[in-house]
Amino acid sequence: MANWTFLTNHALVLLCIADDPEARLRDIAASLNMTERSAFGIITDLVEAGYVVKEKDGRRNRYHIQAHLPLPDPAGRERTVGEILALLVGTGPDGTGPDGTNQAARARRHEPGGTNQAARTRRHEPGGTS
């Protein structure tokens, strides 16, 4: 079996952020089976390139994808980040569902084992984080 993926790690990180803009760096790294240092480097690349805006909210970071920006494409097709994410996750080009909310993030947060439930579980475990 091949040991490669169809999408780059940068694209996978963008998908994680599109799925849950409130995901912590450690959540992104864990979901992609990479180190926090690697995830940090990729997010830094995306921020420096302007595709992601990092907003400090207390001790947390919130990530905002700049869906209107074009992707570099040697063929000159000028697709935007939002258009590609819409193809991959089934949302509108701005990352929202038909009612204007981030459907993927909402579903993930409320499903058993979802982001919020996992965070609540860790907080209540001995030695868990807060």
Side-chain angles (χ1 to χ4, degrees), residues 12-23:
L12 293 172
V13 168
L14 271 177
L15 285 170
C16 280
I17 293 171
D19 184 45
D20 186 2
E22 297 181 13

Side-chain angles (χ1 to χ4, degrees), residues 83-102:
E83 289 170 336
I84 300 302
L85 289 174
L87 284 171
L88 295 172
V89 296
T91 62
D94 60 354
T96 60
D99 65 353
T101 60
N102 187 322

Side-chain angles (χ1 to χ4, degrees), residues 104-119:
R106 179 189 296 170
R108 185 169 172 221
R109 283 193 296 267
H110 295 292
E111 70 186 20
T115 304
N116 283 356
Q117 183 167 345

Side-chain angles (χ1 to χ4, degrees), residues 60-79:
R60 302 271 316 257
N61 289 319
R62 304 228 186 279
Y63 303 104
H64 305 281
I65 296 173
Q66 301 302 294
H68 65 282
L69 293 178
L71 290 170
D73 185 0
R77 288 183 288 244
E78 293 274 335
R79 303 254 185 207

Side-chain angles (χ1 to χ4, degrees), residues 1-127:
M1 185 150 175
N3 191 18
W4 57 276
T5 61
F6 184 70
L7 299 172
T8 66
N9 284 340
H10 286 69
L12 293 172
V13 168
L14 271 177
L15 285 170
C16 280
I17 293 171
D19 184 45
D20 186 2
E22 297 181 13
R24 296 176 301 171
L25 184 65
R26 74 174 58 179
D27 298 330
I28 293 168
S31 70
L32 297 175
N33 198 28
M34 65 175 57
T35 65
E36 285 185 48
R37 183 180 203 120
S38 294
F40 176 80
I42 291 169
I43 289 175
T44 299
D45 289 346
L46 293 169
V47 168
E48 288 175 356
Y51 291 110
V52 172
V53 173
K54 183 167 47 171
E55 173 190 353
K56 195 76 169 160
D57 184 16
R59 294 178 55 202
R60 302 271 316 257
N61 289 319
R62 304 228 186 279
Y63 303 104
H64 305 281
I65 296 173
Q66 301 302 294
H68 65 282
L69 293 178
L71 290 170
D73 185 0
R77 288 183 288 244
E78 293 274 335
R79 303 254 185 207
T80 66
V81 173
E83 289 170 336
I84 300 302
L85 289 174
L87 284 171
L88 295 172
V89 296
T91 62
D94 60 354
T96 60
D99 65 353
T101 60
N102 187 322
Q103 301 291 36
R106 179 189 296 170
R108 185 169 172 221
R109 283 193 296 267
H110 295 292
E111 70 186 20
T115 304
N116 283 356
Q117 183 167 345
R120 285 191 299 271
T121 302
R122 280 193 299 276
R123 278 189 226 119
H124 298 293
E125 291 175 351

